[in-house]
Amino acid sequence: MHDTETSRAAAQPAPAGTIWQRTDPESRRRIASFGLRFGAVLALLGVIALPGQRSLADMLALLQMVMFLSAMWTALFAWAAREPPQPGRLNLWDEALAFTALFLLVRILRTAVLGV
């Protein structure tokens, strides 16, 4: 007995190219925008930490605050642009959610590691 669903799935060729190439241009722009913003935040935090006068707790608190503000700022932009959430395509709302997730991750890290 032969499973027809399995043979149909095997007969369809896999889409060519990498995941990045198969992603629509607007989603790629959103990913690049998020990466640039996140990189700028980390670079500025690195400059602030250069003198070595700040503790890890201070730097994590600052990172948490900046992630929160980035999430709120991006959500404000999405709201002002009246950009609807779009399934299958990344937009400003997804970027705001990514910053929110990073904010929560830093908060959990601060609580677990430092007990603050």
Side-chain angles (χ1 to χ4, degrees), residues 9-112:
Q12 294 177 356
T18 64
I19 292 175
W20 183 256
Q21 291 169 337
R22 285 182 275 149
T23 306
D24 64 290
E26 183 63 27
S27 294
R28 284 189 288 211
R29 193 171 72 90
R30 261 313 115 211
I31 293 169
S33 169
F34 174 77
L36 285 172
R37 288 184 197 194
F38 188 63
V41 165
L42 291 181
L44 289 173
L45 286 174
V47 169
I48 291 171
L50 276 178
Q53 302 298 323
R54 299 200 172 37
S55 67
L56 177 62
D58 291 341
M59 292 307 297
L60 286 176
L62 184 60
L63 180 61
Q64 180 183 339
M65 181 187 68
V66 169
M67 289 298 115
F68 177 77
L69 292 174
S70 295
M72 293 299 107
W73 192 251
T74 306
L76 179 67
F77 280 149
W79 176 75
R82 298 175 189 230
E83 189 168 40
Q86 301 170 351
R89 177 176 285 170
L90 298 175
N91 60 16
L92 283 170
W93 289 111
D94 298 306
E95 194 172 336
L97 284 174
F99 278 120
T100 303
L102 287 172
F103 159 74
L104 292 172
L105 180 68
V106 172
R107 179 64 191 154
I108 291 168
L109 181 67
R110 281 183 64 207
T111 304

